[in-house]
Amino acid sequence: AHNPTGVDPTEEQWKEIANVMKERRLVPLMDSAYQGYASGSLDKDAFAVRLFVSMGFEFFMCQSFAKNLGLYGERIGMLHVVCNSADEAAKTLSQLKMVIRP
């Protein structure tokens, strides 16, 4: 379920979105707050993430666990950063450490 637009793209639409983003060299910021609830399948709801990984994107993934764990009103989540190399991951981690709350 894609909250910002209220649209839930099909697999074909996700492929088109990914191709446009690849052409324009954009860095995706994805949100996965309802994985498993949108379609009833964790695997199916992970399609877009797996597609972007398979296409070699480096991207940010915001993931909320409040709904999945039934902890409504709590702020439980994290930011994942998908990098294509250990060197990029180390550089990204060094930057994130400067802005995260301990």
Side-chain angles (χ1 to χ4, degrees):
H2 193 254
N3 282 336
T5 62
V7 174
D8 199 5
T10 65
E11 291 183 5
E12 287 306 311
Q13 289 170 326
W14 273 118
K15 290 175 185 175
E16 290 179 40
I17 291 166
N19 286 330
V20 169
M21 294 190 76
K22 193 75 153 172
E23 278 177 24
R24 296 183 183 178
R25 300 175 52 105
L26 301 175
V27 177
L29 171 62
M30 302 180 94
D31 178 24
S32 179
Y34 296 101
Q35 186 172 352
Y37 292 110
S39 71
S41 165
L42 286 168
D43 195 48
K44 183 175 167 109
D45 290 349
F47 175 81
V49 176
R50 291 181 178 146
L51 172 66
F52 279 69
V53 168
S54 74
M55 293 178 68
F57 277 95
E58 294 185 306
F59 63 94
F60 298 93
M61 166 62 77
C62 301
Q63 192 167 21
S64 170
F65 299 105
K67 292 164 189 68
N68 295 65
L69 299 175
L71 299 171
Y72 301 99
E74 301 296 327
R75 296 291 177 200
I76 301 171
M78 69 174 49
L79 173 68
H80 307 276
V81 184
V82 177
C83 301
N84 288 332
S85 71
D87 182 55
E88 286 298 318
K91 290 175 184 176
T92 302
L93 181 59
S94 75
Q95 295 299 303
L96 288 173
K97 284 180 176 180
M98 291 190 289
V99 298
I100 63 171
R101 293 185 297 191

